[in-house]
Amino acid sequence: MPDLDPARSFAVFVDRATIALPPEPRFGVDTPRLNDLTLTPRPSGLSPAQIRRFPHLREYRAFDVPDMSDKSLSDLLRGPLAACGTGVQIAGVLDDLYREAADAELGPVIDEDGVRLSVWAPTARDVALELGDEVLPMTRDDLTGVWYATGDPTWIGRFYRYRVEVWHPAVGEVVTTGVTDPYSVSLAVGSTHSQLIDLSDPDLMPPGWDALVKPPAVAPARSQIAEVSVRDFSILDATVPPADRGTYLAFTHPDTAGMRHLRSLAEAGLTHVHLLPVNDFAGVPDRRADRAEPRCDLASLPPDSAEQQRAIAEVAGRDGYNWGYDPWHWTVPEGSYATDPDGPARIRELRAAIAALNGIGLRVVLDVVYNHTVADGLDRFSVLDRIVPGYYHRRLADGATADSTCCANTAPEHMMMGKLVIDSLLVWARHYRVDGFRFDLMGHHPRANILEARIRLDHVHDSGKDLLLYGEGWDFGEVAGDARFAQATQLNMAGTGIATFNDRLRDAARGGGAFAEDPGTRGFATGLGADTPLAVHDQIKVGLAGGLAAYRFTAHDGVERSGAEIGYHGRPGGYAAAPGETINYVDAHDNEILYDAMAFKLPRETAAEDRARMQVLALALVVLSQGAGFVALGSERLRSKSLDRNSYDSGDWFNQIRWDPADGNGFGIGLPPAAENAAKWEFARPLLADPALVPGPEVIATAAERYRELLRIRTGSPVFGLPTAEQVQRRVSFPLGGPGEQPGVIVMCLDGTGLDDRWTRHVVVFNALAEPVAVPLAGELRLHPVLIDSADPVLRTASPGCVPPRSVAVFVGTGT
């Protein structure tokens, strides 16, 4: 163990009565003290209640803190703390002392009584309000630790910051810093100041906002979601007015290439558009004039050149591109997506985009990133940690900020961070009328925090229960295995109605995993064909059945097993309690997009038409499965990112959707950025140099229409998207399963008796082989009407006796 460093904080102030210290004897426990207070060792250790609240401190030694008044404790917490030779973590005691703050109304409040600004800063020595050129005193509420100032309506529209004087452990001294409001609802350009705005002001509402008619509510298990970045959607769309490309307003032009495409998907059965983060983030300058552009003609360079990525890397962080997973202010629309980032135009324009998407029949999901901030301490991008140092972020044993999420991890298990998450969600739901939320790295949230969000959103307005909630239920980092709280992970969210992404189906379909070293590892839909292990069939079937833990079927060994008994890297393959609790997908914004994954995996000589068929086959596993389906927008059009596996800061060049097929699909536009992809350049270079891997316009158009056909098939019958596990067990089967099943061919039967007015049977045949197959099925079946005039001519004559290669065929019947 290293020598004691007073700048590190091994001690934990659990509550007003208890200090906890690691079990190592090196801390000076012979004369245990907290500053000048004598601590009393507690031989029994932490109480059961304390261990339930802080399970990671189970083995810590406990020390009793002398009883003191609220004022004395408050004063103590507003200065430096040391216990037994080390610094002190204070989140627990702040939650204990200021528990009434959970009900405080923070940020800007405008009502008939005037204007009120409030900020929770319990450890601050003083807080003042910087309102324009004025500096106004704020009043401290000793019960809650909230500082507030009141004014009249003339304050509305003015910019402000808080001037906070606080002892900061990052520098070991008292600092005074001007900081924006963590509850900001509007910002100045560059996020330098918060703006006091009334979100109910009619001037901030686009035409028709009050009368906005929402698309019909969609049950989670019936949802089909397409994910897209605001900038990707339109930055290269020549049919969008130049001033609106890459902005919210691009969605308001109904006759652009992008909006026509979205409308066609909505008419076919797409139900939701999932927008990558649209809250204020740090990675892009707000004003176009302040952004840098690559200094060379990228299009003129060879398809396997490293020069494109080099030119983009030179301006990364200063150009117009970032996914937005570097949150700065959680409840303000991102300024770089607005035509005017200085003030409230961004509010009106995001609302206009939401209304426009609703107007073509699509509900809108926001991607929210509450699990980390872009910075902490006194960094210029830090907000929370300059107001209550050491509170809002999760601390490791030595007091350092955890960063397993990639940046400074927040701590929603702390009362006021959890409250901030809920309060922010309510603003988006109430004032922007969004239709759902996707939680980034949801497994880093407590399950209780996400469940509270569900309850509060249910009651935010009359249709709150229709809001779709889902997230990444990954289990990793310092919180893994419920180390600090019951996490919102895949297994823990079963039975809650909140969905998680199903990596089991993804990996079985694609091959390998999210972090596989060999990009050529094949899966069911990426070229395994007749070599597909039947155990992979089992994983696919669990996914097709909605990822249900209890779903039973005949496994590859001939034994009837449940989804939970099908293994996945030592975990259950099926984990959900209801089909609406899984998001089935084969690609998303991160990792290689589907076309690029297939480029790595399929034989080089695979014809463009067959690549497209395999892509549609993979997408069919998503669209025709039970549970919600999810796709990265553009995958239905064979979108590529030139093999970039992590394009978060790769510029428009690698990310933009090419709506004109004459521009290609994005493949072969240069080696992907070295920072994330250099290890795979040896695999990538010969692929990118091969012009045969760039699909022609007719191949792109056929793939897109085949995806629409799948959506029409799904939408046309209630057997797709069944609501309960009981229904799935009763109606979904795999009749050819067992040790004799043909590798590379999966047959799924869906029983519509008493449910579907037209057909009692749907039979779906997924043929991943390079040759046609015949499937032995009893009863009279005919090709689904949608496929009789399929965009792919080989499907028009498909029958159970001849299912075309590399394709999915759907048959219907009225018999058993």
Side-chain angles (χ1 to χ4, degrees), residues 176-206:
T176 299
T177 178
V179 61
T180 48
D181 191 340
Y183 276 72
S184 297
V185 295
S186 185
L187 291 164
V189 65
S191 305
T192 60
H193 292 74
S194 304
Q195 186 181 31
L196 212 165
I197 284 293
D198 183 358
L199 290 176
S200 62
D201 184 345
D203 288 342
L204 300 183
M205 300 177 186

Side-chain angles (χ1 to χ4, degrees), residues 9-213:
S9 300
F10 286 94
V12 181
F13 211 153
V14 171
D15 54 35
R16 66 184 304 151
T18 310
I19 289 283
L21 281 164
E24 292 89 355
R26 63 196 185 92
F27 297 102
V29 294
D30 291 338
T31 55
R33 304 185 69 80
L34 171 65
N35 288 10
D36 59 354
L37 299 173
T38 300
L39 301 176
T40 304
R42 188 190 303 163
S44 60
L46 296 174
S47 71
Q50 290 171 328
I51 291 172
R52 284 193 297 272
R53 188 179 171 203
F54 302 99
H56 63 295
L57 305 182
R58 180 183 303 274
E59 302 302 323
Y60 277 43
R61 291 173 296 170
F63 297 83
D64 289 323
V65 178
D67 189 31
M68 66 184 87
S69 68
D70 288 354
K71 183 179 185 309
S72 297
L73 181 55
S74 174
D75 291 343
L76 179 69
L77 293 170
R78 294 161 81 177
L81 293 175
C84 304
T86 184
V88 181
Q89 301 179 37
I90 62 172
V93 68
L94 289 179
D95 282 350
D96 186 21
L97 179 59
Y98 296 107
R99 62 186 65 184
E100 288 81 3
D103 297 322
E105 195 168 14
L106 300 176
V109 176
I110 301 170
D111 55 27
E112 63 276 5
D113 296 326
V115 175
R116 179 185 173 106
L117 287 167
S118 302
V119 61
W120 189 65
T123 60
R125 300 185 174 198
D126 187 51
V127 181
L129 177 64
E130 298 177 357
L131 186 67
D133 294 331
E134 302 177 79
V135 179
L136 305 175
M138 299 184 76
T139 302
R140 186 181 195 272
D141 178 5
D142 292 335
L143 184 64
T144 62
V146 171
W147 296 76
Y148 63 92
T150 58
D152 58 43
T154 62
W155 284 17
I156 298 175
R158 298 179 69 181
F159 293 101
Y160 70 96
R161 295 193 307 180
Y162 299 121
R163 183 177 294 182
V164 180
E165 179 187 329
V166 65
W167 187 86
H168 207 297
V171 291
E173 63 184 28
V174 175
V175 297
T176 299
T177 178
V179 61
T180 48
D181 191 340
Y183 276 72
S184 297
V185 295
S186 185
L187 291 164
V189 65
S191 305
T192 60
H193 292 74
S194 304
Q195 186 181 31
L196 212 165
I197 284 293
D198 183 358
L199 290 176
S200 62
D201 184 345
D203 288 342
L204 300 183
M205 300 177 186
W209 183 252
D210 281 340
L212 179 64
V213 177

